[in-house]
């Protein structure tokens, strides 16, 4: 579904995707079904987790081991949707900012991986459901969006990166998740990947005191997105705000 001419980001036009999240489990809630459609089509997908998620969880017995636990949970969840490479930036949960330090880390990783699509959280707050807009989520979106333009494509941004061999390049598409509904312009039918998405979500055991309730909520949300995206009744969708960063007609400057 691409009402806004975003078909160039379809799986057959994409060979590599780099996905960013603030916390372990964000990608599984927002995009794991879509990731599964990509990997099933032979697309290489890598994850980057910006914080350790060390403020998450509900069991006091997990406090000492929460960072290690959540990294393992995220790696297991990623593997279930065909993702083998998970990068961890190791920032502290609740303290993420779109600082130059963070933006530079993002630029370096994007230039290293050289994806066709970068997928990240939305930098804008969703007033309909504030839980989607944790400050770290907004910071993830802002840092990645700042990195994508102009720094990734400008060799003179953080010049030591290019001098060290991480060459600037023009990114094709930025996909944003967990943003305001009014921004969503692309819906991916993940009905066939729902089981894989739920399996991935179940790996985050440290986060779900009531797995059944979480699964019911996720299904309802995906049905709503399917309806909003104009899919057949009962079909499940993940929704995104797809931005064409560089297309055939894009020129430098505005
Ligand atoms: Zn989160």
């Amino acid at each position: 579904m691409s009402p806004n001419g975003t078909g160039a980001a379809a799986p057959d036009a994409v060979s590599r995707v780099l996905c960013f999240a603030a916390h372990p489990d964000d990608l599984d809630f927002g995009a794991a079904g879509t990731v599964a459609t990509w990997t099933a089509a032979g697309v290489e997908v890598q994850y980057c987790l910006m914080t350790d998620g060390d403020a998450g969880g509900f069991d006091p017995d997990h406090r000492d081991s929460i960072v290690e636990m959540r990294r393992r949970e995220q790696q297991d969840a990623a593997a279930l949707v065909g993702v083998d490479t998970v990068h961890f930036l190791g920032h502290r949960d609740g303290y993420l900012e779109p600082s130059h330090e963070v933006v530079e880390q993002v630029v370096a990783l994007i230039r290293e991986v050289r994806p066709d699509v970068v997928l990240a959280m939305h930098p804008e707050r969703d007033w309909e459901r504030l839980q989607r807009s944790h400050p770290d989520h907004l910071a993830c979106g802002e840092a990645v969006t700042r990195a994508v333009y102009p720094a990734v494509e400008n060799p003179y941004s953080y010049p030591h990166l290019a001098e060290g061999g991480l060459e600037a390049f023009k990114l094709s598409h930025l996909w944003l998740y967990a943003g305001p509904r009014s921004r969503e312009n692309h819906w991916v039918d993940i009905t066939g990947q729902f089981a894989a998405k739920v399996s991935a979500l179940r790996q985050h055991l440290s986060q779900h005191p009531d797995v059944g309730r979480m699964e019911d909520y996720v299904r309802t949300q995906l049905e709503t997105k399917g309806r909003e995206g104009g899919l057949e009744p009962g079909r499940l969708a993940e929704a995104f705000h797809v931005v064409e960063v560089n297309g055939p007609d894009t020129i430098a400057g505005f």
Side-chain angles (χ1 to χ4, degrees), residues 98-144:
S99 63
H100 277 290
E101 181 208 352
V102 172
V103 174
E104 185 185 326
Q105 288 180 322
V106 171
V107 172
L109 187 61
I110 294 174
R111 288 199 195 167
E112 189 186 310
V113 176
R114 299 178 80 80
D116 312 291
V117 170
V118 165
L119 186 145
M121 308 193 86
H122 207 292
E124 292 179 46
R125 185 169 271 115
D126 179 7
W127 293 106
E128 291 179 11
R129 185 169 153 71
L130 213 47
Q131 288 78 358
R132 279 157 74 86
S133 307
H134 184 293
D136 288 346
H137 296 183
L138 302 176
C140 164
E142 187 61 35
V144 175

mmCIF file of all heavy atoms in Angstrom, residues 98-144:
data_model
loop_
_atom_site.group_PDB
_atom_site.id
_atom_site.type_symbol
_atom_site.label_atom_id
_atom_site.label_comp_id
_atom_site.label_asym_id
_atom_site.label_seq_id
_atom_site.Cartn_x
_atom_site.Cartn_y
_atom_site.Cartn_z
ATOM 1 N N PRO A 98 19.542 13.707 21.177
ATOM 2 C CA PRO A 98 20.098 13.791 19.821
ATOM 3 C C PRO A 98 21.339 14.679 19.802
ATOM 4 O O PRO A 98 21.417 15.673 19.072
ATOM 5 C CB PRO A 98 18.942 14.388 19.003
ATOM 6 C CG PRO A 98 18.168 15.197 19.997
ATOM 7 C CD PRO A 98 18.323 14.521 21.347
ATOM 8 N N SER A 99 22.306 14.345 20.628
ATOM 9 C CA SER A 99 23.538 15.127 20.752
ATOM 10 C C SER A 99 24.456 14.833 19.560
ATOM 11 O O SER A 99 24.260 13.848 18.844
ATOM 12 C CB SER A 99 24.258 14.722 22.035
ATOM 13 O OG SER A 99 24.629 13.357 21.941
ATOM 14 N N HIS A 100 25.483 15.669 19.393
ATOM 15 C CA HIS A 100 26.427 15.397 18.302
ATOM 16 C C HIS A 100 27.126 14.065 18.501
ATOM 17 O O HIS A 100 27.421 13.362 17.538
ATOM 18 C CB HIS A 100 27.439 16.535 18.176
ATOM 19 C CG HIS A 100 26.896 17.674 17.374
ATOM 20 N ND1 HIS A 100 26.676 17.585 16.018
ATOM 21 C CD2 HIS A 100 26.462 18.897 17.742
ATOM 22 C CE1 HIS A 100 26.150 18.717 15.578
ATOM 23 N NE2 HIS A 100 26.014 19.526 16.604
ATOM 24 N N GLU A 101 27.362 13.687 19.765
ATOM 25 C CA GLU A 101 28.007 12.389 20.019
ATOM 26 C C GLU A 101 27.142 11.252 19.449
ATOM 27 O O GLU A 101 27.626 10.356 18.757
ATOM 28 C CB GLU A 101 28.193 12.202 21.534
ATOM 29 C CG GLU A 101 28.873 10.897 21.900
ATOM 30 C CD GLU A 101 28.483 10.379 23.290
ATOM 31 O OE1 GLU A 101 27.809 11.104 24.043
ATOM 32 O OE2 GLU A 101 28.840 9.222 23.584
ATOM 33 N N VAL A 102 25.826 11.317 19.746
ATOM 34 C CA VAL A 102 24.919 10.253 19.294
ATOM 35 C C VAL A 102 24.732 10.317 17.778
ATOM 36 O O VAL A 102 24.783 9.295 17.090
ATOM 37 C CB VAL A 102 23.569 10.348 20.040
ATOM 38 C CG1 VAL A 102 22.557 9.378 19.443
ATOM 39 C CG2 VAL A 102 23.766 10.067 21.530
ATOM 40 N N VAL A 103 24.517 11.535 17.243
ATOM 41 C CA VAL A 103 24.322 11.670 15.790
ATOM 42 C C VAL A 103 25.538 11.123 15.042
ATOM 43 O O VAL A 103 25.419 10.400 14.059
ATOM 44 C CB VAL A 103 24.043 13.142 15.401
ATOM 45 C CG1 VAL A 103 23.999 13.295 13.876
ATOM 46 C CG2 VAL A 103 22.729 13.622 16.017
ATOM 47 N N GLU A 104 26.719 11.429 15.554
ATOM 48 C CA GLU A 104 27.935 10.941 14.892
ATOM 49 C C GLU A 104 28.001 9.408 14.916
ATOM 50 O O GLU A 104 28.398 8.786 13.927
ATOM 51 C CB GLU A 104 29.169 11.532 15.576
ATOM 52 C CG GLU A 104 30.444 11.151 14.860
ATOM 53 C CD GLU A 104 31.702 11.627 15.581
ATOM 54 O OE1 GLU A 104 31.670 12.699 16.204
ATOM 55 O OE2 GLU A 104 32.696 10.900 15.503
ATOM 56 N N GLN A 105 27.610 8.810 16.034
ATOM 57 C CA GLN A 105 27.592 7.341 16.087
ATOM 58 C C GLN A 105 26.644 6.772 15.033
ATOM 59 O O GLN A 105 26.942 5.764 14.385
ATOM 60 C CB GLN A 105 27.129 6.871 17.476
ATOM 61 C CG GLN A 105 28.153 7.082 18.573
ATOM 62 C CD GLN A 105 27.633 6.590 19.926
ATOM 63 O OE1 GLN A 105 26.454 6.735 20.256
ATOM 64 N NE2 GLN A 105 28.511 6.001 20.710
ATOM 65 N N VAL A 106 25.489 7.440 14.873
ATOM 66 C CA VAL A 106 24.498 6.976 13.898
ATOM 67 C C VAL A 106 25.040 7.143 12.478
ATOM 68 O O VAL A 106 24.919 6.236 11.645
ATOM 69 C CB VAL A 106 23.164 7.746 14.088
ATOM 70 C CG1 VAL A 106 22.190 7.439 12.959
ATOM 71 C CG2 VAL A 106 22.545 7.417 15.449
ATOM 72 N N VAL A 107 25.654 8.296 12.200
ATOM 73 C CA VAL A 107 26.230 8.528 10.867
ATOM 74 C C VAL A 107 27.269 7.451 10.553
ATOM 75 O O VAL A 107 27.280 6.863 9.465
ATOM 76 C CB VAL A 107 26.884 9.930 10.780
ATOM 77 C CG1 VAL A 107 27.650 10.101 9.473
ATOM 78 C CG2 VAL A 107 25.826 11.021 10.918
ATOM 79 N N ALA A 108 28.132 7.173 11.525
ATOM 80 C CA ALA A 108 29.195 6.180 11.305
ATOM 81 C C ALA A 108 28.598 4.820 10.967
ATOM 82 O O ALA A 108 29.045 4.144 10.027
ATOM 83 C CB ALA A 108 30.089 6.086 12.541
ATOM 84 N N LEU A 109 27.560 4.425 11.706
ATOM 85 C CA LEU A 109 26.983 3.102 11.464
ATOM 86 C C LEU A 109 26.260 3.048 10.115
ATOM 87 O O LEU A 109 26.385 2.068 9.374
ATOM 88 C CB LEU A 109 26.031 2.722 12.608
ATOM 89 C CG LEU A 109 25.492 1.294 12.541
ATOM 90 C CD1 LEU A 109 26.625 0.260 12.600
ATOM 91 C CD2 LEU A 109 24.490 1.041 13.663
ATOM 92 N N ILE A 110 25.514 4.115 9.791
ATOM 93 C CA ILE A 110 24.812 4.122 8.492
ATOM 94 C C ILE A 110 25.830 4.060 7.350
ATOM 95 O O ILE A 110 25.654 3.320 6.378
ATOM 96 C CB ILE A 110 23.900 5.369 8.357
ATOM 97 C CG1 ILE A 110 22.754 5.307 9.371
ATOM 98 C CG2 ILE A 110 23.337 5.464 6.936
ATOM 99 C CD1 ILE A 110 21.878 6.560 9.406
ATOM 100 N N ARG A 111 26.927 4.814 7.473
ATOM 101 C CA ARG A 111 27.942 4.775 6.396
ATOM 102 C C ARG A 111 28.633 3.419 6.327
ATOM 103 O O ARG A 111 29.053 2.995 5.249
ATOM 104 C CB ARG A 111 28.964 5.881 6.624
ATOM 105 C CG ARG A 111 28.424 7.266 6.334
ATOM 106 C CD ARG A 111 29.569 8.213 6.139
ATOM 107 N NE ARG A 111 29.164 9.608 6.199
ATOM 108 C CZ ARG A 111 30.015 10.608 6.308
ATOM 109 N NH1 ARG A 111 31.322 10.352 6.387
ATOM 110 N NH2 ARG A 111 29.592 11.850 6.340
ATOM 111 N N GLU A 112 28.761 2.754 7.475
ATOM 112 C CA GLU A 112 29.396 1.423 7.482
ATOM 113 C C GLU A 112 28.487 0.392 6.795
ATOM 114 O O GLU A 112 28.922 -0.398 5.967
ATOM 115 C CB GLU A 112 29.650 1.019 8.931
ATOM 116 C CG GLU A 112 30.482 -0.221 9.131
ATOM 117 C CD GLU A 112 30.537 -0.594 10.623
ATOM 118 O OE1 GLU A 112 30.835 0.295 11.454
ATOM 119 O OE2 GLU A 112 30.244 -1.757 10.933
ATOM 120 N N VAL A 113 27.192 0.429 7.134
ATOM 121 C CA VAL A 113 26.247 -0.579 6.621
ATOM 122 C C VAL A 113 25.781 -0.240 5.200
ATOM 123 O O VAL A 113 25.501 -1.121 4.402
ATOM 124 C CB VAL A 113 25.043 -0.706 7.596
ATOM 125 C CG1 VAL A 113 23.994 -1.665 7.043
ATOM 126 C CG2 VAL A 113 25.520 -1.174 8.979
ATOM 127 N N ARG A 114 25.666 1.056 4.881
ATOM 128 C CA ARG A 114 25.202 1.546 3.574
ATOM 129 C C ARG A 114 23.872 0.905 3.141
ATOM 130 O O ARG A 114 23.781 0.264 2.080
ATOM 131 C CB ARG A 114 26.276 1.332 2.499
ATOM 132 C CG ARG A 114 27.564 2.077 2.805
ATOM 133 C CD ARG A 114 28.636 1.839 1.770
ATOM 134 N NE ARG A 114 28.459 2.662 0.575
ATOM 135 C CZ ARG A 114 28.810 3.951 0.488
ATOM 136 N NH1 ARG A 114 29.338 4.573 1.524
ATOM 137 N NH2 ARG A 114 28.617 4.614 -0.635
ATOM 138 N N PRO A 115 22.826 1.130 3.948
ATOM 139 C CA PRO A 115 21.518 0.552 3.612
ATOM 140 C C PRO A 115 20.776 1.368 2.553
ATOM 141 O O PRO A 115 21.097 2.535 2.324
ATOM 142 C CB PRO A 115 20.768 0.636 4.955
ATOM 143 C CG PRO A 115 21.344 1.855 5.611
ATOM 144 C CD PRO A 115 22.789 1.932 5.182
ATOM 145 N N ASP A 116 19.761 0.738 1.929
ATOM 146 C CA ASP A 116 18.847 1.461 1.031
ATOM 147 C C ASP A 116 17.764 2.153 1.845
ATOM 148 O O ASP A 116 17.219 3.177 1.452
ATOM 149 C CB ASP A 116 18.149 0.495 0.065
ATOM 150 C CG ASP A 116 19.115 -0.439 -0.582
ATOM 151 O OD1 ASP A 116 19.909 0.030 -1.392
ATOM 152 O OD2 ASP A 116 19.091 -1.647 -0.250
ATOM 153 N N VAL A 117 17.401 1.508 2.952
ATOM 154 C CA VAL A 117 16.363 2.037 3.830
ATOM 155 C C VAL A 117 16.913 2.117 5.243
ATOM 156 O O VAL A 117 17.522 1.158 5.743
ATOM 157 C CB VAL A 117 15.110 1.117 3.831
ATOM 158 C CG1 VAL A 117 14.127 1.530 4.942
ATOM 159 C CG2 VAL A 117 14.412 1.139 2.480
ATOM 160 N N VAL A 118 16.712 3.270 5.895
ATOM 161 C CA VAL A 118 16.935 3.380 7.340
ATOM 162 C C VAL A 118 15.556 3.454 7.977
ATOM 163 O O VAL A 118 14.696 4.216 7.527
ATOM 164 C CB VAL A 118 17.767 4.625 7.698
ATOM 165 C CG1 VAL A 118 17.679 4.939 9.183
ATOM 166 C CG2 VAL A 118 19.228 4.416 7.298
ATOM 167 N N LEU A 119 15.337 2.637 8.993
ATOM 168 C CA LEU A 119 14.055 2.624 9.699
ATOM 169 C C LEU A 119 14.323 3.077 11.133
ATOM 170 O O LEU A 119 15.267 2.593 11.761
ATOM 171 C CB LEU A 119 13.483 1.204 9.640
ATOM 172 C CG LEU A 119 12.077 0.964 10.187
ATOM 173 C CD1 LEU A 119 11.371 -0.096 9.343
ATOM 174 C CD2 LEU A 119 12.111 0.509 11.625
ATOM 175 N N ALA A 120 13.529 4.032 11.619
ATOM 176 C CA ALA A 120 13.770 4.565 12.967
ATOM 177 C C ALA A 120 12.453 4.984 13.605
ATOM 178 O O ALA A 120 11.419 5.055 12.930
ATOM 179 C CB ALA A 120 14.721 5.761 12.908
ATOM 180 N N MET A 121 12.507 5.306 14.889
ATOM 181 C CA MET A 121 11.317 5.787 15.586
ATOM 182 C C MET A 121 11.014 7.209 15.098
ATOM 183 O O MET A 121 11.890 7.896 14.561
ATOM 184 C CB MET A 121 11.558 5.751 17.096
ATOM 185 C CG MET A 121 12.042 4.371 17.521
ATOM 186 S SD MET A 121 12.016 4.074 19.296
ATOM 187 C CE MET A 121 10.321 3.514 19.493
ATOM 188 N N HIS A 122 9.777 7.636 15.268
ATOM 189 C CA HIS A 122 9.370 8.958 14.763
ATOM 190 C C HIS A 122 9.808 10.054 15.737
ATOM 191 O O HIS A 122 9.648 9.890 16.942
ATOM 192 C CB HIS A 122 7.849 8.991 14.577
ATOM 193 C CG HIS A 122 7.404 9.949 13.521
ATOM 194 N ND1 HIS A 122 7.527 11.314 13.658
ATOM 195 C CD2 HIS A 122 6.874 9.737 12.294
ATOM 196 C CE1 HIS A 122 7.069 11.893 12.556
ATOM 197 N NE2 HIS A 122 6.665 10.963 11.713
ATOM 198 N N PRO A 123 10.354 11.154 15.205
ATOM 199 C CA PRO A 123 10.775 12.236 16.110
ATOM 200 C C PRO A 123 9.624 13.086 16.642
ATOM 201 O O PRO A 123 9.846 13.924 17.509
ATOM 202 C CB PRO A 123 11.715 13.077 15.236
ATOM 203 C CG PRO A 123 11.300 12.795 13.840
ATOM 204 C CD PRO A 123 10.745 11.396 13.813
ATOM 205 N N GLU A 124 8.394 12.868 16.111
ATOM 206 C CA GLU A 124 7.262 13.688 16.572
ATOM 207 C C GLU A 124 6.423 12.939 17.608
ATOM 208 O O GLU A 124 6.225 11.732 17.507
ATOM 209 C CB GLU A 124 6.368 14.054 15.389
ATOM 210 C CG GLU A 124 7.014 15.007 14.410
ATOM 211 C CD GLU A 124 6.082 15.301 13.241
ATOM 212 O OE1 GLU A 124 4.891 15.564 13.458
ATOM 213 O OE2 GLU A 124 6.565 15.232 12.097
ATOM 214 N N ARG A 125 5.897 13.690 18.574
ATOM 215 C CA ARG A 125 5.111 13.098 19.669
ATOM 216 C C ARG A 125 3.707 12.718 19.203
ATOM 217 O O ARG A 125 3.075 13.467 18.458
ATOM 218 C CB ARG A 125 5.031 14.105 20.825
ATOM 219 C CG ARG A 125 4.354 13.603 22.053
ATOM 220 C CD ARG A 125 4.545 14.541 23.232
ATOM 221 N NE ARG A 125 5.748 14.212 23.989
ATOM 222 C CZ ARG A 125 6.818 14.987 24.114
ATOM 223 N NH1 ARG A 125 6.850 16.159 23.547
ATOM 224 N NH2 ARG A 125 7.850 14.592 24.830
ATOM 225 N N ASP A 126 3.250 11.527 19.636
ATOM 226 C CA ASP A 126 1.886 11.073 19.362
ATOM 227 C C ASP A 126 1.010 11.438 20.555
ATOM 228 O O ASP A 126 1.082 10.798 21.599
ATOM 229 C CB ASP A 126 1.884 9.550 19.146
ATOM 230 C CG ASP A 126 0.479 9.018 18.892
ATOM 231 O OD1 ASP A 126 -0.457 9.827 18.754
ATOM 232 O OD2 ASP A 126 0.321 7.781 18.841
ATOM 233 N N TRP A 127 0.174 12.459 20.393
ATOM 234 C CA TRP A 127 -0.655 12.923 21.519
ATOM 235 C C TRP A 127 -1.817 11.983 21.799
ATOM 236 O O TRP A 127 -2.468 12.088 22.834
ATOM 237 C CB TRP A 127 -1.172 14.336 21.249
ATOM 238 C CG TRP A 127 -0.068 15.348 21.245
ATOM 239 C CD1 TRP A 127 0.464 15.979 20.159
ATOM 240 C CD2 TRP A 127 0.665 15.833 22.386
ATOM 241 N NE1 TRP A 127 1.474 16.821 20.546
ATOM 242 C CE2 TRP A 127 1.611 16.763 21.907
ATOM 243 C CE3 TRP A 127 0.604 15.567 23.758
ATOM 244 C CZ2 TRP A 127 2.506 17.421 22.751
ATOM 245 C CZ3 TRP A 127 1.480 16.238 24.600
ATOM 246 C CH2 TRP A 127 2.413 17.154 24.089
ATOM 247 N N GLU A 128 -2.107 11.056 20.866
ATOM 248 C CA GLU A 128 -3.195 10.102 21.109
ATOM 249 C C GLU A 128 -2.762 8.978 22.035
ATOM 250 O O GLU A 128 -3.590 8.291 22.631
ATOM 251 C CB GLU A 128 -3.664 9.474 19.780
ATOM 252 C CG GLU A 128 -4.376 10.441 18.874
ATOM 253 C CD GLU A 128 -4.811 9.791 17.564
ATOM 254 O OE1 GLU A 128 -4.755 8.545 17.430
ATOM 255 O OE2 GLU A 128 -5.191 10.540 16.655
ATOM 256 N N ARG A 129 -1.473 8.727 22.101
ATOM 257 C CA ARG A 129 -0.980 7.647 22.954
ATOM 258 C C ARG A 129 0.451 7.999 23.363
ATOM 259 O O ARG A 129 1.413 7.680 22.670
ATOM 260 C CB ARG A 129 -1.038 6.312 22.213
ATOM 261 C CG ARG A 129 -0.664 5.158 23.100
ATOM 262 C CD ARG A 129 -0.966 3.797 22.480
ATOM 263 N NE ARG A 129 -0.065 2.796 23.014
ATOM 264 C CZ ARG A 129 -0.115 2.331 24.257
ATOM 265 N NH1 ARG A 129 -1.036 2.733 25.096
ATOM 266 N NH2 ARG A 129 0.781 1.439 24.670
ATOM 267 N N LEU A 130 0.549 8.676 24.495
ATOM 268 C CA LEU A 130 1.823 9.242 24.927
ATOM 269 C C LEU A 130 2.893 8.158 25.152
ATOM 270 O O LEU A 130 4.083 8.427 25.019
ATOM 271 C CB LEU A 130 1.602 10.042 26.214
ATOM 272 C CG LEU A 130 2.479 11.281 26.417
ATOM 273 C CD1 LEU A 130 2.538 12.165 25.194
ATOM 274 C CD2 LEU A 130 1.977 12.073 27.622
ATOM 275 N N GLN A 131 2.454 6.925 25.453
ATOM 276 C CA GLN A 131 3.398 5.825 25.698
ATOM 277 C C GLN A 131 4.249 5.524 24.457
ATOM 278 O O GLN A 131 5.335 4.952 24.574
ATOM 279 C CB GLN A 131 2.646 4.544 26.110
ATOM 280 C CG GLN A 131 2.058 4.591 27.500
ATOM 281 C CD GLN A 131 0.758 5.399 27.572
ATOM 282 O OE1 GLN A 131 0.292 5.960 26.589
ATOM 283 N NE2 GLN A 131 0.193 5.478 28.771
ATOM 284 N N ARG A 132 3.726 5.868 23.282
ATOM 285 C CA ARG A 132 4.532 5.656 22.063
ATOM 286 C C ARG A 132 5.668 6.670 21.979
ATOM 287 O O ARG A 132 6.596 6.487 21.202
ATOM 288 C CB ARG A 132 3.643 5.834 20.816
ATOM 289 C CG ARG A 132 2.815 4.630 20.470
ATOM 290 C CD ARG A 132 1.597 5.024 19.628
ATOM 291 N NE ARG A 132 1.882 5.378 18.243
ATOM 292 C CZ ARG A 132 1.971 4.500 17.251
ATOM 293 N NH1 ARG A 132 1.874 3.214 17.488
ATOM 294 N NH2 ARG A 132 2.161 4.899 16.020
ATOM 295 N N SER A 133 5.553 7.747 22.732
ATOM 296 C CA SER A 133 6.477 8.870 22.581
ATOM 297 C C SER A 133 7.359 9.063 23.809
ATOM 298 O O SER A 133 7.560 10.180 24.283
ATOM 299 C CB SER A 133 5.682 10.146 22.303
ATOM 300 O OG SER A 133 4.815 9.957 21.218
ATOM 301 N N HIS A 134 7.872 7.967 24.332
ATOM 302 C CA HIS A 134 8.884 8.027 25.399
ATOM 303 C C HIS A 134 9.980 8.997 24.935
ATOM 304 O O HIS A 134 10.317 9.021 23.739
ATOM 305 C CB HIS A 134 9.452 6.613 25.591
ATOM 306 C CG HIS A 134 10.427 6.477 26.721
ATOM 307 N ND1 HIS A 134 11.670 7.074 26.711
ATOM 308 C CD2 HIS A 134 10.346 5.798 27.886
ATOM 309 C CE1 HIS A 134 12.318 6.769 27.817
ATOM 310 N NE2 HIS A 134 11.530 5.998 28.556
ATOM 311 N N PRO A 135 10.519 9.817 25.836
ATOM 312 C CA PRO A 135 11.559 10.775 25.401
ATOM 313 C C PRO A 135 12.713 10.115 24.640
ATOM 314 O O PRO A 135 13.259 10.715 23.701
ATOM 315 C CB PRO A 135 12.039 11.383 26.728
ATOM 316 C CG PRO A 135 10.876 11.229 27.653
ATOM 317 C CD PRO A 135 10.153 9.983 27.247
ATOM 318 N N ASP A 136 13.069 8.892 25.008
ATOM 319 C CA ASP A 136 14.135 8.193 24.267
ATOM 320 C C ASP A 136 13.699 7.876 22.835
ATOM 321 O O ASP A 136 14.529 7.839 21.925
ATOM 322 C CB ASP A 136 14.514 6.868 24.947
ATOM 323 C CG ASP A 136 15.292 7.057 26.236
ATOM 324 O OD1 ASP A 136 15.784 8.162 26.504
ATOM 325 O OD2 ASP A 136 15.409 6.051 26.987
ATOM 326 N N HIS A 137 12.386 7.594 22.641
ATOM 327 C CA HIS A 137 11.893 7.310 21.281
ATOM 328 C C HIS A 137 12.048 8.559 20.411
ATOM 329 O O HIS A 137 12.499 8.484 19.270
ATOM 330 C CB HIS A 137 10.415 6.909 21.303
ATOM 331 C CG HIS A 137 10.128 5.637 22.047
ATOM 332 N ND1 HIS A 137 8.863 5.096 22.110
ATOM 333 C CD2 HIS A 137 10.928 4.800 22.754
ATOM 334 C CE1 HIS A 137 8.904 3.983 22.831
ATOM 335 N NE2 HIS A 137 10.140 3.780 23.239
ATOM 336 N N LEU A 138 11.643 9.706 20.972
ATOM 337 C CA LEU A 138 11.745 10.963 20.216
ATOM 338 C C LEU A 138 13.213 11.289 19.924
ATOM 339 O O LEU A 138 13.557 11.753 18.830
ATOM 340 C CB LEU A 138 11.101 12.104 21.009
ATOM 341 C CG LEU A 138 9.624 11.904 21.383
ATOM 342 C CD1 LEU A 138 9.138 13.067 22.248
ATOM 343 C CD2 LEU A 138 8.757 11.783 20.138
ATOM 344 N N ALA A 139 14.079 11.015 20.898
ATOM 345 C CA ALA A 139 15.515 11.283 20.721
ATOM 346 C C ALA A 139 16.110 10.367 19.656
ATOM 347 O O ALA A 139 16.942 10.792 18.845
ATOM 348 C CB ALA A 139 16.251 11.117 22.049
ATOM 349 N N CYS A 140 15.673 9.103 19.643
ATOM 350 C CA CYS A 140 16.123 8.159 18.596
ATOM 351 C C CYS A 140 15.735 8.713 17.234
ATOM 352 O O CYS A 140 16.561 8.800 16.317
ATOM 353 C CB CYS A 140 15.470 6.787 18.844
ATOM 354 S SG CYS A 140 15.528 5.650 17.442
ATOM 355 N N GLY A 141 14.466 9.119 17.096
ATOM 356 C CA GLY A 141 13.978 9.639 15.808
ATOM 357 C C GLY A 141 14.719 10.897 15.390
ATOM 358 O O GLY A 141 15.080 11.057 14.221
ATOM 359 N N GLU A 142 14.933 11.786 16.337
ATOM 360 C CA GLU A 142 15.597 13.055 16.011
ATOM 361 C C GLU A 142 17.066 12.817 15.637
ATOM 362 O O GLU A 142 17.566 13.385 14.656
ATOM 363 C CB GLU A 142 15.485 14.016 17.201
ATOM 364 C CG GLU A 142 15.979 15.417 16.917
ATOM 365 C CD GLU A 142 15.213 16.128 15.794
ATOM 366 O OE1 GLU A 142 13.999 15.915 15.670
ATOM 367 O OE2 GLU A 142 15.861 16.878 15.040
ATOM 368 N N ALA A 143 17.735 11.967 16.393
ATOM 369 C CA ALA A 143 19.154 11.703 16.103
ATOM 370 C C ALA A 143 19.318 11.056 14.731
ATOM 371 O O ALA A 143 20.204 11.441 13.955
ATOM 372 C CB ALA A 143 19.756 10.811 17.194
ATOM 373 N N VAL A 144 18.467 10.086 14.424
ATOM 374 C CA VAL A 144 18.599 9.383 13.146
ATOM 375 C C VAL A 144 18.225 10.314 11.986
ATOM 376 O O VAL A 144 18.902 10.346 10.958
ATOM 377 C CB VAL A 144 17.756 8.085 13.124
ATOM 378 C CG1 VAL A 144 17.806 7.429 11.738
ATOM 379 C CG2 VAL A 144 18.242 7.111 14.193
#
